[in-house]
């Protein structure tokens, strides 16, 4: 069909000046295809192109090229084609010729139901909707971009592909949700990009990284990177099939916490950061040999400042590029699962940093954060607090949690700083906070969010764990939401940790007067599903290493460490320790270094590491030590009041399984002929003695077995007479049963 030239086709509509100068909120009203009867007028904008031609695609026959008219110095090029004809563009640059589809020839991209669920905070797979999504639209490969910025006047996609020019790819606003969208043909994984956002008052904000990006440049660079759409080829089916039983409340759970960048420096180079592949090769055999069931990684979501250890993340959907690609991270998780090791991630929904390329004042207004600093600024860390009263913010965070659990097969999330979320007056003085609608200090929006988060996770990934770092006495943290709880699977027992470390730091001469410090935890040990945690927070901020807190000479300090771990593994509650503690690291942890691996040549260090491995073996193999960790029926006192000898003894119990007797001598004085009541007579096996010589101890003990007679003691029908080693723990169980 021959198209008659009509000057009306080249008459520019209102709003062109705003478009040309990057102020237009509706680029599609000018650019792309516009019907004028039998003719479609095509308008494109390429400021630096020498010329642009329309390539008309015909169902039969060769393509036909038609020139486009350059409209002065506006950067606009206008041409005509037959109504409904398919076309693409041939752009002649100064040094190249590019053929591409027209980004403004595509219709609406996100359907109404998706936008409605997003606005209601009920879309749980935003990692597959928002951000940069490689896909094929109308037989054309490219990337669909979507970003939430309801208060913006204009949003553009910028990147290497358009020379970071915000005039090139302005986006369409979907008013019903405040979401901007654009499909850019020809793009694919690996391209760098950001969003250029113009605020309502017309000023351009600092270039913003994509809040939903699934990959980013390695810091200190800040651009987002288009990630592949396809999933990872997982081989962890057997682990996933049995994961529910391995993480149930009657299962053994022993966690090794680590900071990935400082766990091991490749070749000892302090400037190098280990890759996911290197970590898999070194960490997995180490953790497996030590008998831990899980590793817990301090946050690996992309974060700009290394000194935050990951606790100030901006890329809640992106594994940090410091260690490799998203596929590399998935490969690490897959390898852990193949070795029977679960993976837990620390996850931070409480706050975010104020880096200008991040979420702060994202579209020129307080969007992700609160406007009022009495609600929106976290004074402890100079960060911003998420506005959990906004549906979209809750949906953003819940989608992040589910992405790690579903896309990356993560076995659990440890939710950081829950206490700071629950209280409006957290770390705030009078007049520095705003009460809730009832006049109270409880953050009702945060409570609702945590309940929605946990209910959604448990409904979507029922065998995954949600763990709360909650340091107060908030009731029902691990109780079901239906019964008024927050719905977490487990809670860190930080009160137990503080009390126990304070007790073990005391001179043994005075410990008998302070037994209440380690006995108090048993008053509430069964009120929640607890994890006993000795985390990174206890070996930094000037606190020194755990070993440095133990009293006495070098032998006694290591003996106290062995005694503390034996006490911990025998106490109700799951176990967690931080890297380096397993061999008695001498110095405080620094994120810029690594544990002193060479010190393991010291017999005291290697002995402590051997003890931790044996404790993990016993903990997993003796049901009495784990099956009833959250039930009073799993614990029975034998001796809790011997302040003269400073000795404690108790039983750990499991249905139809042999009991385990635990006896602690909390002083450096050996106790001979010490009678302890037991429930059954006969031969009892000494399955652990923390003073054994392989652990670096003195070798005092009972020769491996003791005989229990029918002489009653301590309310039990039988008893045995023991030799209690100095600063040591004994585990015993009836001979012929258990491990």
């Amino acid at each position: 069909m021959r198209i008659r030239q009509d000057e009306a086709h080249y008459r520019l509509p209102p709003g062109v000046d705003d478009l040309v100068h990057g102020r237009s909120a509706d680029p599609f009203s000018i650019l792309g295809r516009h019907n004028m009867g039998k003719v479609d007028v095509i308008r494109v904008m390429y400021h630096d192109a020498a010329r642009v031609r329309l390539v008309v695609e015909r169902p039969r026959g060769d393509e036909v090229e038609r020139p486009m008219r350059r409209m002065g110095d506006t950067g606009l090029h206008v041409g005509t084609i037959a109504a409904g004809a398919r076309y693409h563009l041939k752009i002649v640059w100064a040094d190249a010729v590019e053929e591409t589809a027209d980004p403004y020839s595509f219709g609406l991209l996100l359907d109404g139901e998706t936008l409605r669920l997003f606005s209601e905070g009920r879309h749980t797979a935003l990692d597959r909707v928002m951000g940069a999504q490689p896909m094929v639209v109308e037989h054309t490969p490219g990337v669909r971009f979507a970003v939430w910025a309801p208060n913006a006047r204009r949003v553009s996609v910028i990147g290497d592909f358009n020379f970071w020019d915000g005039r090139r790819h302005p986006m369409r606003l979907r008013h019903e949700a405040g979401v901007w969208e654009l499909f850019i043909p020809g793009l694919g994984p690996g391209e760098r990009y950001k969003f250029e956002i113009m605020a309502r008052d017309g000023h351009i904000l600092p270039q913003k990284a994509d809040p939903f990006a699934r990959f980013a440049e390695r810091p200190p660079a800040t651009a987002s990177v288009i990630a592949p759409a396809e999933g990872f080829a997982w081989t962890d089916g057997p682990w996933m099939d049995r994961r529910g039983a391995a993480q149930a409340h009657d299962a053994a759970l022993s966690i090794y916490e680590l900071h990935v960048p400082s766990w091991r420096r490749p070749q000892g180079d302090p400037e190098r950061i280990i890759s996911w592949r290197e970590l898999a090769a070194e960490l997995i055999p180490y953790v497996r040999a030590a008998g831990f069931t899980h590793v817990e990684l301090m946050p690996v979501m992309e974060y700009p400042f290394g000194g935050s250890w990951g606790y100030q993340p901006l890329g809640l959907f992106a594994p940090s590029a410091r260690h490799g690609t998203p596929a590399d991270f998935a490969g690490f998780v897959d390898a852990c699962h193949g070795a029977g090791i679960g993976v837990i991630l620390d996850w931070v929904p409480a706050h975010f940093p104020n880096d200008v390329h991040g979420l702060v004042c994202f579209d020129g207004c307080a969007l992700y954060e609160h406007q009022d600093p009495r609600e929106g600024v976290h004074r402890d860390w100079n960060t911003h607090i998420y506005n959990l009263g906004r549906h979209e913010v809750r949906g953003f965070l819940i989608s992040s949690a589910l992405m790690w659990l579903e896309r990356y097969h993560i076995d659990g999330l440890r939710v950081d700083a829950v206490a700071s979320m629950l209280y409006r007056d957290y770390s705030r003085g009078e007049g520095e906070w705003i009460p809730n609608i009832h006049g109270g200090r409880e953050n009702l929006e945060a409570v609702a969010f945590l309940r929605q988060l946990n209910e959604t996770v448990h409904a979507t990934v029922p065998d995954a764990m949600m763990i709360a770092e909650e340091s107060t006495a908030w009731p029902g943290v691990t109780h079901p939401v239906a019964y008024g709880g927050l719905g977490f699977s487990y809670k860190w027992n930080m009160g137990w940790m503080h009390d126990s470390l304070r007790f073990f730091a005391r001179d043994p001469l005075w410990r008998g007067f302070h037994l209440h410090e380690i006995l108090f935890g048993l008053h509430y040990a069964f009120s929640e599903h607890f994890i006993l945690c000795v985390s990174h927070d206890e070996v930094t901020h000037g606190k020194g290493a755990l070993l440095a807190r133990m009293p006495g000479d070098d032998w006694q300090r290591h003996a106290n460490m062995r005694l503390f771990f034996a006490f911990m593994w025998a106490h109700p509650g799951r176990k967690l320790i931080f890297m380096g503690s397993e061999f008695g690291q001498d110095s405080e942890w620094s994120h810029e270094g690594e544990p002193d691996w060479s010190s393991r040549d010291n017999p005291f260090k290697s002995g402590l590491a051997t003890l931790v491995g044996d404790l993990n073996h016993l903990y997993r193999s003796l049901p009495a030590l784990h099956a009833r960790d959250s039930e009073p029926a799993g614990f029975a006192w034998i001796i809790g009041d011997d302040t003269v000898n400073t000795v404690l003894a108790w039983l750990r119990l499991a249905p139809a399984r042999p009991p385990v007797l635990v006896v602690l001598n909390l002083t450096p004085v050996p106790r001979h002929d010490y009678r302890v009541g037991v429930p059954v007579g006969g031969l009892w096996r000494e399955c652990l003695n923390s003073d054994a010589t392989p652990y670096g101890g003195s070798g005092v003990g009972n020769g491996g077995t003791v005989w229990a007679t029918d002489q009653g003691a301590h309310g039990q029908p039988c008893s045995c007479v023991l030799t209690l080693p100095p600063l040591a723990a004994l585990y015993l169980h009836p001979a012929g049963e258990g491990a």
Side-chain angles (χ1 to χ4, degrees):
M1 170 183 177
R2 186 173 181 82
I3 298 176
R4 183 176 61 85
Q5 298 295 323
D6 187 335
E7 286 303 311
H9 298 159
Y10 299 92
R11 190 175 300 131
L12 297 179
V16 164
D17 190 60
D18 280 345
L19 177 70
V20 170
H21 292 92
R23 299 188 298 264
S24 176
D26 187 11
F28 280 82
S29 66
I30 298 173
L31 300 177
R33 182 196 300 265
H34 298 270
N35 181 256
M36 298 184 72
K38 295 181 179 180
V39 173
D40 285 342
V41 175
I42 311 299
R43 304 188 193 101
V44 298
M45 187 167 65
Y46 294 101
H47 290 83
D48 300 320
R51 59 185 179 276
V52 182
R53 298 179 67 84
L54 288 169
V55 181
V56 183
E57 303 168 9
R58 300 192 297 179
R60 291 182 296 276
D62 296 334
E63 296 174 337
V64 176
E65 292 190 14
R66 295 182 58 82
M68 302 187 79
R69 182 187 297 181
R70 186 181 183 92
M71 308 303 293
D73 60 357
T74 64
L76 284 166
H77 301 256
V78 181
T80 58
I81 60 175
R86 290 179 58 85
Y87 74 96
H88 64 269
L89 307 173
K90 178 181 284 188
I91 307 168
V92 180
W93 304 100
D95 58 353
V97 176
E98 174 189 3
E99 290 201 37
T100 180
D102 178 6
Y104 298 92
S105 67
F106 298 91
L108 299 178
L109 303 172
L110 296 171
D111 63 82
E113 177 69 4
T114 294
L115 294 174
R116 182 180 67 81
L117 291 173
F118 173 81
S119 296
E120 294 174 354
R122 295 194 301 112
H123 200 300
T124 58
L126 295 178
D127 63 302
R128 303 179 188 278
V129 172
M130 302 293 286
Q133 303 292 334
M135 60 177 57
V136 176
V137 177
E138 297 178 11
H139 309 291
T140 303
V143 176
R144 185 190 70 199
F145 295 88
V147 62
W148 180 52
N151 304 300
R153 178 172 173 180
R154 187 261 295 169
V155 180
S156 297
V157 185
I158 54 176
D160 296 324
F161 47 86
N162 62 16
F163 306 102
W164 302 90
D165 184 348
R167 299 171 301 174
R168 286 278 300 274
H169 288 108
M171 305 175 78
R172 170 196 278 130
L173 174 61
R174 304 296 298 276
H175 293 271
E176 63 269 41
V179 171
W180 299 76
E181 64 176 19
L182 184 69
F183 178 73
I184 302 182
L187 294 187
E191 291 275 5
R192 301 189 307 153
Y193 72 99
K194 282 187 177 180
F195 295 111
E196 182 179 275
I197 299 177
M198 177 180 284
R200 281 180 175 175
D201 63 5
H203 82 276
I204 301 294
L205 300 173
Q207 296 175 351
K208 295 290 187 177
D210 181 3
F212 293 89
R214 290 187 287 109
F215 194 41
E217 286 187 289
R218 180 169 176 163
T222 59
S224 302
V225 176
I226 299 171
E230 61 271 12
F232 180 76
W234 293 92
T235 63
D236 63 350
W239 165 265
M240 299 297 285
D241 290 342
R242 66 176 185 270
R243 183 174 72 174
Q247 301 186 159
H249 289 147
D250 62 351
L253 195 65
S254 181
I255 304 166
Y256 184 71
E257 184 195 25
L258 68 144
H259 176 249
V260 174
S262 65
W263 182 74
R264 182 93 69 175
R265 298 287 177 177
Q267 287 81 53
D269 183 348
E271 300 300 318
R272 283 201 58 193
I273 295 180
I274 198 167
S275 70
W276 292 120
R277 295 184 182 187
E278 291 169 326
L279 186 69
E282 297 193 42
L283 177 68
I284 290 173
Y286 181 81
V287 169
R288 189 170 186 179
F292 291 96
T293 64
H294 290 70
V295 293
E296 179 173 324
L297 311 184
M298 292 164 67
V300 300
M301 301 80 191
E302 194 60 84
Y303 54 100
F305 176 47
S308 75
W309 314 333
Y311 289 103
Q312 294 183 15
L314 280 177
L316 286 190
F317 293 80
S320 178
R322 291 169 174 85
H323 312 291
T325 67
D328 292 336
F329 174 68
F332 166 76
V333 176
D334 197 48
C336 286
H337 288 171
I341 298 167
V343 181
I344 301 167
L345 299 185
D346 282 7
W347 181 70
V348 188
H351 60 126
F352 59 88
N354 56 14
D355 298 68
V356 294
H357 71 280
L359 301 177
V360 64
C361 200
F362 186 78
D363 60 0
C365 302
L367 186 65
Y368 286 87
E369 73 272 33
H370 293 272
Q371 177 71 39
D372 193 321
R374 292 175 296 173
E375 294 183 285
V377 176
H378 204 304
R379 299 183 182 276
D380 286 355
W381 303 302
N382 192 31
T383 53
H384 291 273
I385 298 170
Y386 285 105
N387 183 353
L388 297 174
R390 298 201 69 155
H391 301 313
E392 298 91 341
V393 173
R394 293 198 306 274
F396 166 78
L397 292 170
I398 290 172
S399 288
S400 167
L402 287 174
M403 187 213 70
W404 296 103
L405 297 171
E406 293 187 293
R407 185 185 289 271
Y408 290 110
H409 291 199
I410 296 302
D411 303 295
L413 297 176
R414 177 265 199 182
V415 182
D416 183 64
V418 170
S420 76
M421 300 173 69
L422 291 174
Y423 300 97
R424 286 176 164 264
D425 63 345
Y426 186 90
S427 287
R428 297 177 185 270
E430 188 172 350
E432 297 178 341
W433 58 283
I434 300 175
N436 63 34
I437 58 173
H438 304 298
R441 60 195 286 255
E442 299 81 8
N443 190 326
L444 303 181
E445 294 81 8
V447 171
F449 162 72
L450 292 170
R451 287 172 171 166
Q452 181 186 355
L453 166 70
N454 287 321
E455 283 196 308
T456 304
V457 167
H458 293 321
T460 309
V461 195
D463 56 350
M465 298 181 292
M466 295 296 289
I467 303 166
E469 187 215 14
E470 204 288 305
S471 56
T472 74
W474 186 280
V477 171
T478 60
H479 294 186
V481 171
Y483 295 99
L486 295 182
F488 284 96
S489 312
Y490 295 100
K491 171 182 173 175
W492 274 19
N493 194 337
M494 304 177 79
W496 171 90
M497 176 265 298
H498 289 303
D499 291 344
S500 300
L501 289 179
R502 182 167 60 248
F503 175 85
F504 274 89
R506 295 189 182 278
D507 189 316
L509 179 65
W510 308 110
R511 284 178 176 173
F513 299 100
H514 298 278
L515 285 178
H516 63 278
E517 290 178 347
I518 58 171
L519 299 183
F520 180 68
L522 286 160
H523 289 286
Y524 60 86
F526 310 109
S527 62
E528 303 273 9
H529 296 292
F530 280 121
I531 293 175
L532 308 182
C533 56
V534 185
S535 73
H536 63 276
D537 279 329
E538 304 317 306
V539 293
T540 189
H541 301 308
K543 295 178 182 176
L546 291 182
L547 185 70
R549 301 192 214 179
M550 301 296 162
D553 59 21
D554 196 38
W555 187 93
Q556 290 192 357
R557 287 189 304 125
H558 285 86
N560 272 300
M561 276 290 291
R562 296 193 298 270
L563 176 57
F564 171 72
F565 281 147
F567 161 71
M568 178 179 178
W569 259 255
H571 192 286
R574 294 83 190 163
K575 326 300 175 189
L576 178 146
I577 63 171
F578 184 60
M579 65 183 198
S581 300
E582 73 275 15
F583 60 85
Q585 170 84 8
D586 287 300
S587 58
E588 182 174 279
W589 168 64
S590 168
H591 73 278
E592 295 178 336
E594 67 175 355
D596 186 5
W597 298 108
S598 64
S599 70
R600 293 181 299 166
D601 294 336
N602 181 318
F604 287 154
K605 307 295 185 188
S606 60
L608 183 58
T610 300
L611 172 70
V612 170
D614 288 351
L615 286 170
N616 276 328
H617 170 73
L618 290 171
Y619 174 61
R620 298 171 73 167
S621 61
L622 294 175
L625 291 177
H626 65 256
R628 284 184 165 173
D629 255 347
S630 299
E631 302 174 37
F635 180 91
W637 273 115
I638 300 296
I639 302 169
D641 57 357
D642 186 354
T643 58
V644 174
N645 295 295
T646 320
V647 171
L648 296 175
W650 63 78
L651 290 170
R652 295 301 308 276
L653 305 164
R657 297 301 182 96
V660 174
L661 172 68
V662 179
V663 186
L664 308 180
N665 179 8
L666 298 162
T667 73
V669 180
R671 307 293 179 185
H672 299 282
D673 300 324
Y674 193 95
R675 186 172 294 277
V676 179
V678 292
V680 296
L683 198 64
W684 282 64
R685 178 187 170 198
E686 189 179 75
C687 55
L688 182 89
N689 176 353
S690 68
D691 189 51
T693 52
Y695 304 145
S698 62
V700 175
N702 299 276
T705 58
V706 296
W707 189 265
T709 68
D710 58 4
Q711 179 179 342
H714 306 118
Q716 298 293 325
C718 303
S719 65
C720 57
V721 176
L722 299 173
T723 295
L724 305 184
L727 292 174
L730 300 177
Y731 292 5
L732 303 100
H733 64 72
E737 302 183 68

